[in-house]
Structures are given as C-alpha cells and as structure tokens.
PDB file of all heavy atoms in Angstrom:
ATOM      1  N   ALA A1042      30.462  -6.750   1.088  1.00 87.00           N
ATOM      2  CA  ALA A1042      30.768  -7.253  -0.246  1.00 87.00           C
ATOM      3  C   ALA A1042      29.812  -8.350  -0.692  1.00 87.00           C
ATOM      4  O   ALA A1042      29.625  -8.564  -1.899  1.00 87.00           O
ATOM      5  CB  ALA A1042      32.204  -7.775  -0.289  1.00 87.00           C
ATOM      6  N   GLU A1043      29.183  -9.067   0.284  1.00 90.00           N
ATOM      7  CA  GLU A1043      28.367 -10.215  -0.103  1.00 90.00           C
ATOM      8  C   GLU A1043      27.447 -10.610   1.051  1.00 90.00           C
ATOM      9  O   GLU A1043      27.810 -10.471   2.225  1.00 90.00           O
ATOM     10  CB  GLU A1043      29.285 -11.388  -0.456  1.00 90.00           C
ATOM     11  CG  GLU A1043      28.576 -12.623  -0.951  1.00 90.00           C
ATOM     12  CD  GLU A1043      29.541 -13.772  -1.206  1.00 90.00           C
ATOM     13  OE1 GLU A1043      30.733 -13.640  -0.852  1.00 90.00           O
ATOM     14  OE2 GLU A1043      29.094 -14.790  -1.763  1.00 90.00           O
ATOM     15  N   PHE A1044      26.232 -11.096   0.680  1.00 93.00           N
ATOM     16  CA  PHE A1044      25.321 -11.706   1.651  1.00 93.00           C
ATOM     17  C   PHE A1044      25.392 -13.222   1.444  1.00 93.00           C
ATOM     18  O   PHE A1044      25.099 -13.723   0.346  1.00 93.00           O
ATOM     19  CB  PHE A1044      23.882 -11.227   1.451  1.00 93.00           C
ATOM     20  CG  PHE A1044      23.696  -9.749   1.689  1.00 93.00           C
ATOM     21  CD1 PHE A1044      23.291  -8.911   0.665  1.00 93.00           C
ATOM     22  CD2 PHE A1044      23.916  -9.200   2.946  1.00 93.00           C
ATOM     23  CE1 PHE A1044      23.107  -7.558   0.878  1.00 93.00           C
ATOM     24  CE2 PHE A1044      23.737  -7.844   3.169  1.00 93.00           C
ATOM     25  CZ  PHE A1044      23.334  -7.016   2.139  1.00 93.00           C
ATOM     26  N   VAL A1045      25.764 -13.956   2.486  1.00 93.00           N
ATOM     27  CA  VAL A1045      25.904 -15.414   2.386  1.00 93.00           C
ATOM     28  C   VAL A1045      24.851 -16.057   3.296  1.00 93.00           C
ATOM     29  O   VAL A1045      25.017 -16.124   4.518  1.00 93.00           O
ATOM     30  CB  VAL A1045      27.313 -15.866   2.812  1.00 93.00           C
ATOM     31  CG1 VAL A1045      27.474 -17.366   2.559  1.00 93.00           C
ATOM     32  CG2 VAL A1045      28.384 -15.074   2.075  1.00 93.00           C
ATOM     33  N   PRO A1046      23.717 -16.543   2.736  1.00 94.00           N
ATOM     34  CA  PRO A1046      22.645 -17.106   3.572  1.00 94.00           C
ATOM     35  C   PRO A1046      22.936 -18.556   3.961  1.00 94.00           C
ATOM     36  O   PRO A1046      23.727 -19.250   3.310  1.00 94.00           O
ATOM     37  CB  PRO A1046      21.426 -17.020   2.656  1.00 94.00           C
ATOM     38  CG  PRO A1046      21.996 -17.156   1.282  1.00 94.00           C
ATOM     39  CD  PRO A1046      23.350 -16.495   1.312  1.00 94.00           C
ATOM     40  N   VAL A1047      22.289 -19.012   5.022  1.00 92.00           N
ATOM     41  CA  VAL A1047      22.369 -20.427   5.401  1.00 92.00           C
ATOM     42  C   VAL A1047      21.317 -21.187   4.593  1.00 92.00           C
ATOM     43  O   VAL A1047      20.459 -20.585   3.923  1.00 92.00           O
ATOM     44  CB  VAL A1047      22.125 -20.604   6.921  1.00 92.00           C
ATOM     45  CG1 VAL A1047      23.196 -19.875   7.712  1.00 92.00           C
ATOM     46  CG2 VAL A1047      20.733 -20.120   7.309  1.00 92.00           C
ATOM     47  N   ASP A1048      21.393 -22.512   4.660  1.00 91.00           N
ATOM     48  CA  ASP A1048      20.432 -23.334   3.923  1.00 91.00           C
ATOM     49  C   ASP A1048      19.013 -23.039   4.401  1.00 91.00           C
ATOM     50  O   ASP A1048      18.747 -22.897   5.603  1.00 91.00           O
ATOM     51  CB  ASP A1048      20.741 -24.817   4.152  1.00 91.00           C
ATOM     52  CG  ASP A1048      22.044 -25.229   3.481  1.00 91.00           C
ATOM     53  OD1 ASP A1048      22.490 -24.507   2.572  1.00 91.00           O
ATOM     54  OD2 ASP A1048      22.613 -26.263   3.889  1.00 91.00           O
ATOM     55  N   GLY A1049      18.109 -22.927   3.441  1.00 89.00           N
ATOM     56  CA  GLY A1049      16.717 -22.668   3.762  1.00 89.00           C
ATOM     57  C   GLY A1049      16.357 -21.206   3.797  1.00 89.00           C
ATOM     58  O   GLY A1049      15.191 -20.851   3.998  1.00 89.00           O
ATOM     59  N   VAL A1050      17.346 -20.332   3.608  1.00 91.00           N
ATOM     60  CA  VAL A1050      17.115 -18.879   3.605  1.00 91.00           C
ATOM     61  C   VAL A1050      17.614 -18.326   2.273  1.00 91.00           C
ATOM     62  O   VAL A1050      18.724 -18.648   1.829  1.00 91.00           O
ATOM     63  CB  VAL A1050      17.835 -18.185   4.779  1.00 91.00           C
ATOM     64  CG1 VAL A1050      17.640 -16.675   4.710  1.00 91.00           C
ATOM     65  CG2 VAL A1050      17.345 -18.731   6.113  1.00 91.00           C
ATOM     66  N   THR A1051      16.814 -17.502   1.642  1.00 92.00           N
ATOM     67  CA  THR A1051      17.250 -16.893   0.380  1.00 92.00           C
ATOM     68  C   THR A1051      18.140 -15.684   0.658  1.00 92.00           C
ATOM     69  O   THR A1051      18.071 -15.074   1.731  1.00 92.00           O
ATOM     70  CB  THR A1051      16.045 -16.441  -0.457  1.00 92.00           C
ATOM     71  OG1 THR A1051      15.358 -15.388   0.237  1.00 92.00           O
ATOM     72  CG2 THR A1051      15.095 -17.605  -0.709  1.00 92.00           C
ATOM     73  N   ALA A1052      18.977 -15.345  -0.330  1.00 92.00           N
ATOM     74  CA  ALA A1052      19.847 -14.177  -0.195  1.00 92.00           C
ATOM     75  C   ALA A1052      19.021 -12.901  -0.060  1.00 92.00           C
ATOM     76  O   ALA A1052      19.406 -11.969   0.650  1.00 92.00           O
ATOM     77  CB  ALA A1052      20.785 -14.088  -1.398  1.00 92.00           C
ATOM     78  N   ALA A1053      17.850 -12.857  -0.711  1.00 91.00           N
ATOM     79  CA  ALA A1053      16.990 -11.676  -0.628  1.00 91.00           C
ATOM     80  C   ALA A1053      16.441 -11.502   0.782  1.00 91.00           C
ATOM     81  O   ALA A1053      16.345 -10.377   1.292  1.00 91.00           O
ATOM     82  CB  ALA A1053      15.854 -11.787  -1.629  1.00 91.00           C
ATOM     83  N   THR A1054      16.078 -12.615   1.420  1.00 92.00           N
ATOM     84  CA  THR A1054      15.580 -12.545   2.802  1.00 92.00           C
ATOM     85  C   THR A1054      16.673 -12.050   3.740  1.00 92.00           C
ATOM     86  O   THR A1054      16.431 -11.211   4.616  1.00 92.00           O
ATOM     87  CB  THR A1054      15.082 -13.929   3.254  1.00 92.00           C
ATOM     88  OG1 THR A1054      14.018 -14.353   2.404  1.00 92.00           O
ATOM     89  CG2 THR A1054      14.590 -13.881   4.693  1.00 92.00           C
ATOM     90  N   LEU A1055      17.889 -12.573   3.555  1.00 93.00           N
ATOM     91  CA  LEU A1055      19.024 -12.125   4.368  1.00 93.00           C
ATOM     92  C   LEU A1055      19.303 -10.643   4.138  1.00 93.00           C
ATOM     93  O   LEU A1055      19.548  -9.891   5.078  1.00 93.00           O
ATOM     94  CB  LEU A1055      20.268 -12.961   4.033  1.00 93.00           C
ATOM     95  CG  LEU A1055      21.584 -12.513   4.684  1.00 93.00           C
ATOM     96  CD1 LEU A1055      21.486 -12.539   6.204  1.00 93.00           C
ATOM     97  CD2 LEU A1055      22.744 -13.395   4.201  1.00 93.00           C
ATOM     98  N   ALA A1056      19.274 -10.201   2.878  1.00 92.00           N
ATOM     99  CA  ALA A1056      19.536  -8.799   2.560  1.00 92.00           C
ATOM    100  C   ALA A1056      18.492  -7.891   3.196  1.00 92.00           C
ATOM    101  O   ALA A1056      18.809  -6.801   3.697  1.00 92.00           O
ATOM    102  CB  ALA A1056      19.556  -8.600   1.045  1.00 92.00           C
ATOM    103  N   ASP A1057      17.220  -8.345   3.184  1.00 90.00           N
ATOM    104  CA  ASP A1057      16.142  -7.556   3.781  1.00 90.00           C
ATOM    105  C   ASP A1057      16.380  -7.374   5.279  1.00 90.00           C
ATOM    106  O   ASP A1057      16.266  -6.269   5.813  1.00 90.00           O
ATOM    107  CB  ASP A1057      14.806  -8.249   3.540  1.00 90.00           C
ATOM    108  CG  ASP A1057      13.647  -7.477   4.162  1.00 90.00           C
ATOM    109  OD1 ASP A1057      13.199  -6.490   3.554  1.00 90.00           O
ATOM    110  OD2 ASP A1057      13.208  -7.875   5.263  1.00 90.00           O
ATOM    111  N   ALA A1058      16.727  -8.464   5.977  1.00 91.00           N
ATOM    112  CA  ALA A1058      16.983  -8.382   7.418  1.00 91.00           C
ATOM    113  C   ALA A1058      18.228  -7.548   7.703  1.00 91.00           C
ATOM    114  O   ALA A1058      18.271  -6.753   8.661  1.00 91.00           O
ATOM    115  CB  ALA A1058      17.135  -9.789   7.994  1.00 91.00           C
ATOM    116  N   ALA A1059      19.262  -7.721   6.877  1.00 91.00           N
ATOM    117  CA  ALA A1059      20.503  -6.964   7.072  1.00 91.00           C
ATOM    118  C   ALA A1059      20.256  -5.466   6.891  1.00 91.00           C
ATOM    119  O   ALA A1059      20.779  -4.631   7.641  1.00 91.00           O
ATOM    120  CB  ALA A1059      21.570  -7.443   6.090  1.00 91.00           C
ATOM    121  N   GLN A1060      19.440  -5.114   5.915  1.00 89.00           N
ATOM    122  CA  GLN A1060      19.134  -3.701   5.698  1.00 89.00           C
ATOM    123  C   GLN A1060      18.347  -3.128   6.868  1.00 89.00           C
ATOM    124  O   GLN A1060      18.627  -2.022   7.336  1.00 89.00           O
ATOM    125  CB  GLN A1060      18.350  -3.515   4.404  1.00 89.00           C
ATOM    126  CG  GLN A1060      18.141  -2.049   4.038  1.00 89.00           C
ATOM    127  CD  GLN A1060      16.946  -1.844   3.124  1.00 89.00           C
ATOM    128  OE1 GLN A1060      15.883  -2.413   3.376  1.00 89.00           O
ATOM    129  NE2 GLN A1060      17.113  -1.033   2.085  1.00 89.00           N
ATOM    130  N   LEU A1061      17.368  -3.893   7.355  1.00 87.00           N
ATOM    131  CA  LEU A1061      16.575  -3.431   8.498  1.00 87.00           C
ATOM    132  C   LEU A1061      17.460  -3.133   9.702  1.00 87.00           C
ATOM    133  O   LEU A1061      17.315  -2.113  10.365  1.00 87.00           O
ATOM    134  CB  LEU A1061      15.538  -4.498   8.869  1.00 87.00           C
ATOM    135  CG  LEU A1061      14.186  -4.449   8.159  1.00 87.00           C
ATOM    136  CD1 LEU A1061      13.348  -5.656   8.551  1.00 87.00           C
ATOM    137  CD2 LEU A1061      13.449  -3.156   8.488  1.00 87.00           C
ATOM    138  N   SER A1062      18.393  -4.040   9.980  1.00 86.00           N
ATOM    139  CA  SER A1062      19.253  -3.879  11.156  1.00 86.00           C
ATOM    140  C   SER A1062      20.298  -2.785  10.979  1.00 86.00           C
ATOM    141  O   SER A1062      20.979  -2.421  11.937  1.00 86.00           O
ATOM    142  CB  SER A1062      19.953  -5.201  11.469  1.00 86.00           C
ATOM    143  OG  SER A1062      20.805  -5.585  10.401  1.00 86.00           O
ATOM    144  N   SER A1063      20.428  -2.268   9.759  1.00 85.00           N
ATOM    145  CA  SER A1063      21.458  -1.260   9.481  1.00 85.00           C
ATOM    146  C   SER A1063      20.898   0.130   9.228  1.00 85.00           C
ATOM    147  O   SER A1063      21.663   1.070   8.999  1.00 85.00           O
ATOM    148  CB  SER A1063      22.298  -1.685   8.256  1.00 85.00           C
ATOM    149  OG  SER A1063      22.912  -2.928   8.471  1.00 85.00           O
ATOM    150  N   LEU A1064      19.573   0.283   9.240  1.00 81.00           N
ATOM    151  CA  LEU A1064      18.982   1.581   8.919  1.00 81.00           C
ATOM    152  C   LEU A1064      19.425   2.671   9.886  1.00 81.00           C
ATOM    153  O   LEU A1064      19.573   3.838   9.500  1.00 81.00           O
ATOM    154  CB  LEU A1064      17.449   1.468   8.919  1.00 81.00           C
ATOM    155  CG  LEU A1064      16.838   0.691   7.753  1.00 81.00           C
ATOM    156  CD1 LEU A1064      15.327   0.583   7.920  1.00 81.00           C
ATOM    157  CD2 LEU A1064      17.186   1.359   6.417  1.00 81.00           C
ATOM    158  N   ALA A1065      19.617   2.307  11.145  1.00 75.00           N
ATOM    159  CA  ALA A1065      20.033   3.308  12.136  1.00 75.00           C
ATOM    160  C   ALA A1065      21.531   3.255  12.407  1.00 75.00           C
ATOM    161  O   ALA A1065      22.026   3.946  13.297  1.00 75.00           O
ATOM    162  CB  ALA A1065      19.270   3.105  13.443  1.00 75.00           C
ATOM    163  N   ASP A1066      22.236   2.448  11.632  1.00 76.00           N
ATOM    164  CA  ASP A1066      23.688   2.307  11.813  1.00 76.00           C
ATOM    165  C   ASP A1066      24.390   3.327  10.917  1.00 76.00           C
ATOM    166  O   ASP A1066      24.452   3.155   9.700  1.00 76.00           O
ATOM    167  CB  ASP A1066      24.102   0.882  11.448  1.00 76.00           C
ATOM    168  CG  ASP A1066      25.568   0.601  11.767  1.00 76.00           C
ATOM    169  OD1 ASP A1066      26.294   1.556  12.102  1.00 76.00           O
ATOM    170  OD2 ASP A1066      25.971  -0.569  11.680  1.00 76.00           O
ATOM    171  N   GLU A1067      24.918   4.397  11.515  1.00 73.00           N
ATOM    172  CA  GLU A1067      25.528   5.470  10.724  1.00 73.00           C
ATOM    173  C   GLU A1067      27.007   5.246  10.464  1.00 73.00           C
ATOM    174  O   GLU A1067      27.683   6.101   9.913  1.00 73.00           O
ATOM    175  CB  GLU A1067      25.342   6.818  11.445  1.00 73.00           C
ATOM    176  CG  GLU A1067      23.890   7.261  11.556  1.00 73.00           C
ATOM    177  CD  GLU A1067      23.243   7.479  10.193  1.00 73.00           C
ATOM    178  OE1 GLU A1067      23.974   7.811   9.236  1.00 73.00           O
ATOM    179  OE2 GLU A1067      22.019   7.295  10.081  1.00 73.00           O
ATOM    180  N   THR A1068      27.532   4.096  10.879  1.00 74.00           N
ATOM    181  CA  THR A1068      28.937   3.808  10.603  1.00 74.00           C
ATOM    182  C   THR A1068      29.126   3.533   9.120  1.00 74.00           C
ATOM    183  O   THR A1068      28.172   3.161   8.416  1.00 74.00           O
ATOM    184  CB  THR A1068      29.419   2.583  11.408  1.00 74.00           C
ATOM    185  OG1 THR A1068      28.709   1.428  10.952  1.00 74.00           O
ATOM    186  CG2 THR A1068      29.197   2.779  12.897  1.00 74.00           C
ATOM    187  N   PRO A1069      30.334   3.700   8.587  1.00 75.00           N
ATOM    188  CA  PRO A1069      30.570   3.385   7.170  1.00 75.00           C
ATOM    189  C   PRO A1069      30.202   1.947   6.830  1.00 75.00           C
ATOM    190  O   PRO A1069      29.690   1.672   5.743  1.00 75.00           O
ATOM    191  CB  PRO A1069      32.074   3.635   7.001  1.00 75.00           C
ATOM    192  CG  PRO A1069      32.413   4.629   8.067  1.00 75.00           C
ATOM    193  CD  PRO A1069      31.529   4.287   9.227  1.00 75.00           C
ATOM    194  N   GLU A1070      30.445   1.017   7.776  1.00 80.00           N
ATOM    195  CA  GLU A1070      30.092  -0.377   7.522  1.00 80.00           C
ATOM    196  C   GLU A1070      28.571  -0.535   7.392  1.00 80.00           C
ATOM    197  O   GLU A1070      28.076  -1.224   6.493  1.00 80.00           O
ATOM    198  CB  GLU A1070      30.617  -1.272   8.649  1.00 80.00           C
ATOM    199  CG  GLU A1070      32.140  -1.370   8.702  1.00 80.00           C
ATOM    200  CD  GLU A1070      32.763  -0.242   9.508  1.00 80.00           C
ATOM    201  OE1 GLU A1070      32.023   0.697   9.905  1.00 80.00           O
ATOM    202  OE2 GLU A1070      33.983  -0.289   9.733  1.00 80.00           O
ATOM    203  N   GLY A1071      27.838   0.114   8.305  1.00 82.00           N
ATOM    204  CA  GLY A1071      26.387   0.041   8.255  1.00 82.00           C
ATOM    205  C   GLY A1071      25.815   0.639   6.988  1.00 82.00           C
ATOM    206  O   GLY A1071      24.894   0.090   6.367  1.00 82.00           O
ATOM    207  N   ARG A1072      26.368   1.779   6.578  1.00 83.00           N
ATOM    208  CA  ARG A1072      25.906   2.406   5.331  1.00 83.00           C
ATOM    209  C   ARG A1072      26.179   1.498   4.127  1.00 83.00           C
ATOM    210  O   ARG A1072      25.388   1.437   3.183  1.00 83.00           O
ATOM    211  CB  ARG A1072      26.622   3.742   5.125  1.00 83.00           C
ATOM    212  CG  ARG A1072      26.318   4.829   6.140  1.00 83.00           C
ATOM    213  CD  ARG A1072      24.877   5.300   6.068  1.00 83.00           C
ATOM    214  NE  ARG A1072      23.997   4.482   6.916  1.00 83.00           N
ATOM    215  CZ  ARG A1072      22.698   4.364   6.770  1.00 83.00           C
ATOM    216  NH1 ARG A1072      22.089   4.973   5.766  1.00 83.00           N
ATOM    217  NH2 ARG A1072      21.972   3.633   7.575  1.00 83.00           N
ATOM    218  N   SER A1073      27.323   0.786   4.162  1.00 86.00           N
ATOM    219  CA  SER A1073      27.663  -0.076   3.025  1.00 86.00           C
ATOM    220  C   SER A1073      26.708  -1.263   2.924  1.00 86.00           C
ATOM    221  O   SER A1073      26.447  -1.763   1.820  1.00 86.00           O
ATOM    222  CB  SER A1073      29.108  -0.565   3.140  1.00 86.00           C
ATOM    223  OG  SER A1073      29.253  -1.529   4.175  1.00 86.00           O
ATOM    224  N   VAL A1074      26.168  -1.742   4.059  1.00 89.00           N
ATOM    225  CA  VAL A1074      25.197  -2.828   4.035  1.00 89.00           C
ATOM    226  C   VAL A1074      23.926  -2.366   3.324  1.00 89.00           C
ATOM    227  O   VAL A1074      23.364  -3.071   2.474  1.00 89.00           O
ATOM    228  CB  VAL A1074      24.876  -3.312   5.464  1.00 89.00           C
ATOM    229  CG1 VAL A1074      23.702  -4.300   5.447  1.00 89.00           C
ATOM    230  CG2 VAL A1074      26.100  -3.950   6.099  1.00 89.00           C
ATOM    231  N   VAL A1075      23.467  -1.159   3.657  1.00 87.00           N
ATOM    232  CA  VAL A1075      22.266  -0.599   3.023  1.00 87.00           C
ATOM    233  C   VAL A1075      22.497  -0.430   1.522  1.00 87.00           C
ATOM    234  O   VAL A1075      21.619  -0.749   0.702  1.00 87.00           O
ATOM    235  CB  VAL A1075      21.895   0.748   3.682  1.00 87.00           C
ATOM    236  CG1 VAL A1075      20.726   1.405   2.943  1.00 87.00           C
ATOM    237  CG2 VAL A1075      21.551   0.552   5.151  1.00 87.00           C
ATOM    238  N   VAL A1076      23.674   0.051   1.158  1.00 88.00           N
ATOM    239  CA  VAL A1076      23.989   0.266  -0.261  1.00 88.00           C
ATOM    240  C   VAL A1076      24.020  -1.060  -1.009  1.00 88.00           C
ATOM    241  O   VAL A1076      23.491  -1.185  -2.130  1.00 88.00           O
ATOM    242  CB  VAL A1076      25.339   1.002  -0.405  1.00 88.00           C
ATOM    243  CG1 VAL A1076      25.799   1.010  -1.866  1.00 88.00           C
ATOM    244  CG2 VAL A1076      25.227   2.428   0.116  1.00 88.00           C
ATOM    245  N   LEU A1077      24.628  -2.102  -0.416  1.00 90.00           N
ATOM    246  CA  LEU A1077      24.711  -3.397  -1.085  1.00 90.00           C
ATOM    247  C   LEU A1077      23.321  -4.012  -1.266  1.00 90.00           C
ATOM    248  O   LEU A1077      23.018  -4.586  -2.323  1.00 90.00           O
ATOM    249  CB  LEU A1077      25.603  -4.340  -0.274  1.00 90.00           C
ATOM    250  CG  LEU A1077      25.828  -5.734  -0.884  1.00 90.00           C
ATOM    251  CD1 LEU A1077      26.561  -5.613  -2.220  1.00 90.00           C
ATOM    252  CD2 LEU A1077      26.604  -6.633   0.074  1.00 90.00           C
ATOM    253  N   ALA A1078      22.448  -3.868  -0.253  1.00 90.00           N
ATOM    254  CA  ALA A1078      21.083  -4.396  -0.371  1.00 90.00           C
ATOM    255  C   ALA A1078      20.318  -3.692  -1.486  1.00 90.00           C
ATOM    256  O   ALA A1078      19.547  -4.311  -2.229  1.00 90.00           O
ATOM    257  CB  ALA A1078      20.356  -4.234   0.962  1.00 90.00           C
ATOM    258  N   LYS A1079      20.555  -2.405  -1.625  1.00 88.00           N
ATOM    259  CA  LYS A1079      19.892  -1.638  -2.678  1.00 88.00           C
ATOM    260  C   LYS A1079      20.443  -2.005  -4.052  1.00 88.00           C
ATOM    261  O   LYS A1079      19.690  -2.179  -5.023  1.00 88.00           O
ATOM    262  CB  LYS A1079      20.077  -0.145  -2.416  1.00 88.00           C
ATOM    263  CG  LYS A1079      19.493   0.754  -3.490  1.00 88.00           C
ATOM    264  CD  LYS A1079      19.743   2.218  -3.159  1.00 88.00           C
ATOM    265  CE  LYS A1079      19.216   3.130  -4.248  1.00 88.00           C
ATOM    266  NZ  LYS A1079      19.461   4.568  -3.939  1.00 88.00           N
ATOM    267  N   THR A1080      21.765  -2.152  -4.132  1.00 87.00           N
ATOM    268  CA  THR A1080      22.415  -2.426  -5.416  1.00 87.00           C
ATOM    269  C   THR A1080      22.102  -3.833  -5.928  1.00 87.00           C
ATOM    270  O   THR A1080      21.767  -4.028  -7.107  1.00 87.00           O
ATOM    271  CB  THR A1080      23.941  -2.254  -5.281  1.00 87.00           C
ATOM    272  OG1 THR A1080      24.225  -0.931  -4.827  1.00 87.00           O
ATOM    273  CG2 THR A1080      24.637  -2.488  -6.612  1.00 87.00           C
ATOM    274  N   ASP A1081      22.205  -4.834  -5.038  1.00 88.00           N
ATOM    275  CA  ASP A1081      22.067  -6.225  -5.476  1.00 88.00           C
ATOM    276  C   ASP A1081      20.621  -6.727  -5.495  1.00 88.00           C
ATOM    277  O   ASP A1081      20.283  -7.632  -6.272  1.00 88.00           O
ATOM    278  CB  ASP A1081      22.902  -7.139  -4.573  1.00 88.00           C
ATOM    279  CG  ASP A1081      24.395  -7.000  -4.835  1.00 88.00           C
ATOM    280  OD1 ASP A1081      24.770  -6.125  -5.640  1.00 88.00           O
ATOM    281  OD2 ASP A1081      25.183  -7.755  -4.230  1.00 88.00           O
ATOM    282  N   PHE A1082      19.769  -6.132  -4.627  1.00 85.00           N
ATOM    283  CA  PHE A1082      18.407  -6.672  -4.522  1.00 85.00           C
ATOM    284  C   PHE A1082      17.315  -5.610  -4.707  1.00 85.00           C
ATOM    285  O   PHE A1082      16.140  -5.898  -4.530  1.00 85.00           O
ATOM    286  CB  PHE A1082      18.224  -7.374  -3.166  1.00 85.00           C
ATOM    287  CG  PHE A1082      19.131  -8.560  -2.989  1.00 85.00           C
ATOM    288  CD1 PHE A1082      20.352  -8.423  -2.355  1.00 85.00           C
ATOM    289  CD2 PHE A1082      18.778  -9.794  -3.500  1.00 85.00           C
ATOM    290  CE1 PHE A1082      21.198  -9.504  -2.210  1.00 85.00           C
ATOM    291  CE2 PHE A1082      19.622 -10.891  -3.356  1.00 85.00           C
ATOM    292  CZ  PHE A1082      20.841 -10.741  -2.710  1.00 85.00           C
ATOM    293  N   GLY A1083      17.717  -4.412  -5.044  1.00 82.00           N
ATOM    294  CA  GLY A1083      16.740  -3.368  -5.334  1.00 82.00           C
ATOM    295  C   GLY A1083      15.931  -2.928  -4.133  1.00 82.00           C
ATOM    296  O   GLY A1083      14.824  -2.388  -4.290  1.00 82.00           O
ATOM    297  N   LEU A1084      16.447  -3.153  -2.929  1.00 79.00           N
ATOM    298  CA  LEU A1084      15.711  -2.771  -1.724  1.00 79.00           C
ATOM    299  C   LEU A1084      15.846  -1.273  -1.493  1.00 79.00           C
ATOM    300  O   LEU A1084      16.944  -0.761  -1.265  1.00 79.00           O
ATOM    301  CB  LEU A1084      16.239  -3.546  -0.511  1.00 79.00           C
ATOM    302  CG  LEU A1084      16.018  -5.069  -0.563  1.00 79.00           C
ATOM    303  CD1 LEU A1084      16.659  -5.731   0.643  1.00 79.00           C
ATOM    304  CD2 LEU A1084      14.531  -5.386  -0.612  1.00 79.00           C
ATOM    305  N   ARG A1085      14.727  -0.561  -1.569  1.00 68.00           N
ATOM    306  CA  ARG A1085      14.730   0.886  -1.400  1.00 68.00           C
ATOM    307  C   ARG A1085      14.474   1.245   0.056  1.00 68.00           C
ATOM    308  O   ARG A1085      14.332   0.369   0.923  1.00 68.00           O
ATOM    309  CB  ARG A1085      13.637   1.501  -2.284  1.00 68.00           C
ATOM    310  CG  ARG A1085      13.793   1.163  -3.745  1.00 68.00           C
ATOM    311  CD  ARG A1085      14.928   1.948  -4.381  1.00 68.00           C
ATOM    312  NE  ARG A1085      15.159   1.575  -5.772  1.00 68.00           N
ATOM    313  CZ  ARG A1085      16.040   2.170  -6.558  1.00 68.00           C
ATOM    314  NH1 ARG A1085      16.764   3.163  -6.093  1.00 68.00           N
ATOM    315  NH2 ARG A1085      16.200   1.773  -7.801  1.00 68.00           N
ATOM    316  N   GLU A1086      14.375   2.534   0.299  1.00 59.00           N
ATOM    317  CA  GLU A1086      14.069   2.979   1.651  1.00 59.00           C
ATOM    318  C   GLU A1086      12.707   2.450   2.087  1.00 59.00           C
ATOM    319  O   GLU A1086      11.805   2.252   1.275  1.00 59.00           O
ATOM    320  CB  GLU A1086      14.085   4.507   1.720  1.00 59.00           C
ATOM    321  CG  GLU A1086      15.458   5.110   1.493  1.00 59.00           C
ATOM    322  CD  GLU A1086      15.434   6.612   1.663  1.00 59.00           C
ATOM    323  OE1 GLU A1086      14.393   7.122   2.091  1.00 59.00           O
ATOM    324  OE2 GLU A1086      16.459   7.253   1.380  1.00 59.00           O
ATOM    325  N   ARG A1087      12.566   2.237   3.400  1.00 58.00           N
ATOM    326  CA  ARG A1087      11.330   1.675   3.939  1.00 58.00           C
ATOM    327  C   ARG A1087      10.204   2.705   3.965  1.00 58.00           C
ATOM    328  O   ARG A1087      10.426   3.925   3.859  1.00 58.00           O
ATOM    329  CB  ARG A1087      11.599   1.154   5.353  1.00 58.00           C
ATOM    330  CG  ARG A1087      12.710   0.111   5.384  1.00 58.00           C
ATOM    331  CD  ARG A1087      12.262  -1.199   4.750  1.00 58.00           C
ATOM    332  NE  ARG A1087      13.372  -2.119   4.549  1.00 58.00           N
ATOM    333  CZ  ARG A1087      13.262  -3.434   4.600  1.00 58.00           C
ATOM    334  NH1 ARG A1087      12.076  -3.982   4.814  1.00 58.00           N
ATOM    335  NH2 ARG A1087      14.300  -4.202   4.405  1.00 58.00           N
ATOM    336  N   GLU A1088       8.983   2.170   4.143  1.00 53.00           N
ATOM    337  CA  GLU A1088       7.827   3.051   4.166  1.00 53.00           C
ATOM    338  C   GLU A1088       7.925   4.024   5.347  1.00 53.00           C
ATOM    339  O   GLU A1088       8.498   3.707   6.384  1.00 53.00           O
ATOM    340  CB  GLU A1088       6.537   2.228   4.311  1.00 53.00           C
ATOM    341  CG  GLU A1088       6.379   1.139   3.282  1.00 53.00           C
ATOM    342  CD  GLU A1088       7.154  -0.125   3.673  1.00 53.00           C
ATOM    343  OE1 GLU A1088       7.453  -0.285   4.872  1.00 53.00           O
ATOM    344  OE2 GLU A1088       7.472  -0.915   2.779  1.00 53.00           O
ATOM    345  N   PRO A1089       7.336   5.225   5.188  1.00 47.00           N
ATOM    346  CA  PRO A1089       7.377   6.200   6.286  1.00 47.00           C
ATOM    347  C   PRO A1089       6.806   5.648   7.587  1.00 47.00           C
ATOM    348  O   PRO A1089       7.244   5.998   8.672  1.00 47.00           O
ATOM    349  CB  PRO A1089       6.529   7.362   5.759  1.00 47.00           C
ATOM    350  CG  PRO A1089       6.603   7.229   4.269  1.00 47.00           C
ATOM    351  CD  PRO A1089       6.680   5.767   3.988  1.00 47.00           C
TER     352      PRO A1089
END
C-alpha cells in the first residue's frame, strides 16, 4: 500500500530497490510490490 523511506532516502529509491527484490517473487505480495512501484513511480520492467 505504501513505501515509507527512512531519512536520507527518497521514496523513489526505496521503490526501485523494493521492485528489484520482488522481480522473482511470484507471491501475491511480491507481485503487488511491483505493481505499486509501477503505479506510483512509473518503474517499468527492467532491461533485458
């Protein structure tokens, strides 16, 4: 539902790392992280 960064880190940086760590996560929770990063920060699929 939300990315909550610590001080000194932007929400976009957190979303980027969260998406990276979820690319191989096929659970519904993992898929929802990828969807939220795409919806809120426009992060698309990674380069081939």
